[in-house]
Amino acid sequence: MKVEGKRIGFGITGSHCTYEEVVPQIEKLVEVGAEVVPIVTHTVKNTTTRFGKGKDWIEKVEQITGKRVLDSIVATEPLGPRNPLDCMVIAPLTGASMSKLANAITDSPVLMAAKATMRNHRPVVLGISTNDALGLNGVNLMRLMAAKDIFFIPFGQDDPMKKPKSMVADMDQLIPTIEAALEHRQFQPVLIERYNK
């Protein structure tokens, strides 16, 4: 199912080093005719790192989507019954947010939007970016992989020698993953070789 004309929530969590890979995907969604509703965590909004200032990333996303970011739980709660999304994307999804989602902790705007979408049995697409996917967070990753209405952008180890427990999604596969998720299918293969040899 094509994304054109679909209402896609796009949640961004605090994997600051991954924004450069994610923002072009938001542009692509808009270019193919999706309505993108941007949602950010408090960390995204309020943190300055060597990868940029939170306010600058938010301005860029708002400019691309033509919409103000939703940055509070109160603002995202209506995405359940009153203004449902066709699909919710979280990319990048940090290990901390992945852990919370897997354990039903809804303490950020992004997680509230995901919960609201799952409540409506609509797909939630996750693009992981975490240094501990093969560590303590592995149990949370597997719990989400087994959950109904949750789908993953294909992912793999990004630096197996220096960061053997780290895994990151291939954000270039976002749109085909959404298209499959809209049909309640997992885009395959979900586990990929991601690093450069």
Side-chain angles (χ1 to χ4, degrees):
M1 183 178 298
K2 296 297 182 190
V3 298
E4 182 180 3
K6 299 297 183 187
R7 190 163 186 257
I8 310 290
F10 205 107
I12 304 172
T13 70
S15 179
H16 310 287
C17 61
T18 315
Y19 298 163
E20 286 286 349
E21 293 180 45
V22 168
V23 170
Q25 303 308 318
I26 297 172
E27 288 180 301
K28 288 178 185 175
L29 282 170
V30 171
E31 287 169 6
V32 298
E35 177 191 353
V36 178
V37 178
I39 306 155
V40 298
T41 62
H42 307 292
T43 303
V44 174
K45 182 179 178 183
N46 298 310
T47 304
T48 296
T49 70
R50 65 186 170 105
F51 301 103
K53 297 177 181 175
K55 69 180 185 72
D56 294 339
W57 286 110
I58 286 175
E59 285 175 15
K60 183 178 268 191
V61 168
E62 288 180 337
Q63 183 179 21
I64 292 166
T65 62
K67 295 185 181 298
R68 291 186 58 83
V69 298
L70 302 179
D71 59 5
S72 73
I73 290 174
V74 171
T76 55
E77 193 279 332
L79 297 176
R82 284 188 280 158
N83 287 318
L85 300 167
D86 293 303
C87 178
M88 175 68 192
V89 174
I90 307 176
L93 175 66
T94 63
S97 290
M98 179 168 65
S99 174
K100 291 175 182 180
L101 182 61
N103 290 283
I105 299 170
T106 311
D107 66 350
S108 78
V110 171
L111 296 176
M112 175 56 80
K115 177 183 174 182
T117 303
M118 289 185 291
R119 171 182 169 182
N120 294 328
H121 297 292
R122 303 273 174 93
V124 175
V125 171
L126 306 178
I128 66 169
S129 180
T130 175
N131 287 324
D132 70 342
L134 296 176
L136 288 175
N137 231 338
V139 66
N140 296 312
L141 175 61
M142 291 302 108
R143 180 175 285 153
L144 290 170
M145 289 196 81
K148 186 177 180 178
D149 300 323
I150 294 181
F151 304 91
F152 285 82
I153 302 168
F155 58 89
Q157 289 180 283
D158 55 308
D159 191 346
M161 298 308 158
K162 292 181 183 172
K163 302 188 301 180
K165 296 179 181 180
S166 179
M167 297 189 95
V168 177
D170 178 0
M171 300 302 175
D172 287 331
Q173 297 191 52
L174 172 66
I175 290 178
T177 302
I178 294 172
E179 290 173 341
L182 287 167
E183 297 175 350
H184 295 278
R185 292 184 298 107
Q186 172 61 58
F187 184 69
Q188 297 288 349
V190 70
L191 294 176
I192 58 170
E193 187 172 310
R194 183 164 154 63
Y195 63 93
N196 295 323
K197 293 181 180 179

